[in-house]
Amino acid sequence: MDMALKETFTNRLRDEGSAENSSQPSEERSSAGRNLERSGKQENRKSPTKKKKKKKKANRLTVDNFIAKAEQLSSIKLIKQKQDEDKAAARLHSFNSSCKFNEYAVPFSDKTERMKSLRSNNSAKWLKALDIREHVAVMNPEIVLSVEIYHNERKWVKTQEFLVLGRQMLTELRDVICCLTDQVMQKAGQYDPSGYFLIEDVFYNDLRHPSAIDYSEPIFNWLRNSKNEAVKKWECIINGELQQKQKALLGSVSTSHLPHFKAVDMHKARFCDVRFRLGAGYLYCHQGDCKHTIVIRDMRLIHPEDVHSRAAYPIVTFQLKQRSQKCSVCKIYMAAKVTVDDKWAQDNPCYFCDYCYSLLHSKDGNL
């Protein structure tokens, strides 16, 4: 009996020990789980502030990135703008290479007929319409001049601008200058082929046509016969009115001498042989007393982007667009008639519509 009781007692102790051992890990596990839950809750409590901080950091980073990108883009734009300005400055004096020419040239008569169409079109249209049948290479080194032509009455208005070569004759420029007076005189049947350029102290007369007149001859006669008057006028031109008054009061202003004028045939003079000053105003006279100011604005060597066909020059780089002329009297209707040296008109030439012309130039219905 004692042995049996001992065995049962020992078995119970073993069972209880095993139960306690088994319960200890579960309790440890449960306590560990509770600790994890508490830490998780604490982390959950702390997580909103951390998230906000992370968001703020991310926003700051994105803003900094955007600012850096914007500065980079602005610097790239500035660099590109500067490059464009440098390119424009480098190509300031060069002709646009996008204008293409057919490598051919026409005879002089056909070319002059085509030049007439230029008077109603701008330079770009003319460059496309010009049919060049013969390519004449430009000799290097070659000089390119930029010549401006101004209006005969509105002296400040530029009407045309050309690129001419240094080896070209002055007559080649004169043949492409467009003036309304030429058209008017042609329609009236009184066209005069005479004309001259006055550059510095040289008259370049156009005497190619048999009926041409030397416009400089009466000027030379006046200089010889009225030298004192010519000197006074020359002093007024050179010194101005102020110095003339000083001379009258003090008599201390030095007198200037007349230049030694001379005459040369226009068709024998090249631009490279002409003595001129850049930016100075010179004179082009034609049809008796129609006078234009011409300015040689620029001089440079020919550029690889320029047109290298001599037959294409002079090249029009600017052409004033012709507008419809209104009646000079009523200022309402378009002009249908033009008069030259009209004693009843206040302008010369003067433009009239049919109605105003009939009112001013008729008596009892008869012109």
Side-chain angles (χ1 to χ4, degrees):
M1 288 292 289
D2 291 333
M3 292 294 293
L5 288 170
K6 286 180 180 180
E7 287 177 359
T8 56
F9 184 73
T10 54
N11 291 328
R12 284 180 181 178
L13 288 174
R14 286 177 185 172
D15 295 331
E16 286 176 1
S18 62
E20 286 177 359
N21 292 329
S22 63
S23 63
Q24 283 178 359
S26 63
E27 287 177 358
E28 289 175 359
R29 288 173 186 170
S30 62
S31 63
R34 288 172 186 172
N35 292 328
L36 287 171
E37 287 178 357
R38 288 176 185 174
S39 64
K41 288 179 181 179
Q42 290 177 356
E43 286 178 359
N44 289 330
R45 288 176 186 173
K46 295 179 181 178
S47 61
T49 57
K50 290 182 179 180
K51 287 181 180 178
K52 288 180 181 179
K53 289 180 179 178
K54 288 181 179 179
K55 285 182 180 179
K56 287 181 180 179
K57 287 182 180 179
N59 291 331
R60 287 177 185 173
L61 289 172
T62 53
V63 170
D64 293 335
N65 290 332
F66 281 130
I67 292 170
K69 286 181 180 179
E71 290 177 352
Q72 187 178 3
L73 289 172
S74 63
S75 63
I76 290 170
K77 286 181 180 178
L78 289 172
I79 292 168
K80 190 174 181 182
Q81 186 178 2
K82 189 176 180 182
Q83 288 177 349
D84 293 335
E85 289 175 357
D86 292 337
K87 287 180 182 178
R91 297 181 182 179
L92 178 62
H93 304 297
S94 63
F95 188 68
N96 189 5
S97 60
S98 61
C99 296
K100 296 181 179 179
F101 295 86
N102 297 325
E103 298 180 351
Y104 300 99
V106 286
F108 180 77
S109 60
D110 295 338
K111 191 174 180 180
T112 52
E113 290 296 324
R114 292 183 183 278
M115 289 298 179
K116 292 179 182 178
S117 65
L118 169 64
R119 292 164 184 168
S120 59
N121 299 327
N122 56 18
S123 61
K125 291 181 181 179
W126 173 73
L127 292 175
K128 291 180 182 178
L130 185 62
D131 183 17
I132 302 173
R133 296 178 186 170
E134 183 182 358
H135 178 80
V136 181
V138 174
M139 297 176 64
N140 288 319
E142 182 59 278
I143 295 172
V144 179
L145 303 173
S146 177
V147 184
E148 298 174 348
I149 314 296
Y150 287 83
H151 198 270
N152 57 343
E153 293 179 356
R154 294 174 291 170
K155 304 296 183 182
W156 63 92
V157 177
K158 182 173 70 172
T159 57
Q160 287 177 295
E161 186 175 352
F162 300 95
L163 290 180
V164 296
L165 300 176
R167 289 188 176 92
Q168 285 188 299
M169 299 293 181
L170 270 65
T171 50
E172 296 183 60
L173 175 63
R174 201 228 159 170
D175 290 337
V176 296
I177 294 176
C178 169
C179 180
L180 184 62
T181 308
D182 289 332
Q183 300 177 17
V184 171
M185 298 303 285
Q186 265 186 340
K187 288 182 179 180
Q190 299 178 3
Y191 180 79
D192 186 3
S194 308
Y196 68 81
F197 290 121
L198 176 57
I199 302 175
E200 293 297 325
D201 54 356
V202 182
F203 288 89
Y204 297 94
N205 295 297
D206 188 2
L207 301 175
R208 292 174 294 174
H209 198 274
S211 62
I213 302 170
D214 187 354
Y215 280 172
S216 66
E217 186 176 353
I219 299 174
F220 283 111
N221 292 332
W222 175 75
L223 289 173
R224 284 191 293 268
N225 299 328
S226 305
K227 191 172 182 179
N228 293 330
E229 184 182 357
V231 169
K232 288 181 181 179
K233 289 191 175 183
W234 183 253
E235 286 181 357
C236 290
I237 293 170
I238 298 300
N239 299 325
E241 295 182 1
L242 181 61
Q243 291 192 9
Q244 290 296 313
K245 291 179 181 178
Q246 290 178 357
K247 181 182 177 182
L249 293 172
L250 304 174
S252 60
V253 178
S254 60
T255 58
S256 57
H257 299 283
L258 278 172
H260 298 286
F261 291 101
K262 60 181 180 180
V264 177
D265 290 340
M266 190 186 295
H267 64 278
K268 296 179 181 178
R270 301 179 186 271
F271 281 96
C272 59
D273 301 326
V274 176
R275 186 169 57 90
F276 60 87
R277 291 171 293 155
L278 288 177
Y282 299 116
L283 182 65
Y284 166 54
C285 181
H286 66 118
Q287 301 303 327
D289 61 348
C290 184
K291 298 174 183 178
H292 302 260
T293 301
I294 62 171
V295 178
I296 302 175
R297 185 65 65 188
D298 186 28
M299 179 177 66
R300 59 178 174 81
L301 290 173
I302 196 166
H303 194 269
E305 293 186 2
D306 288 324
V307 180
H308 285 260
S309 175
R310 189 188 181 282
Y313 289 87
I315 294 174
V316 181
T317 58
F318 174 80
Q319 174 73 57
L320 183 67
K321 188 177 180 181
Q322 297 292 337
R323 296 182 180 179
S324 299
Q325 182 69 45
K326 287 188 176 181
C327 176
S328 301
V329 179
C330 66
K331 307 290 185 183
I332 298 173
Y333 299 107
M334 295 300 172
K337 291 180 172 61
V338 60
T339 60
V340 180
D341 297 331
D342 187 358
K343 65 180 180 179
W344 303 110
Q346 60 180 357
D347 298 327
N348 186 27
C350 190
Y351 301 91
F352 295 92
C353 62
D354 290 327
Y355 182 70
C356 293
Y357 182 81
S358 62
L359 288 178
L360 192 61
H361 295 85
S362 64
K363 186 177 180 181
D364 299 329
N366 296 320
L367 293 177

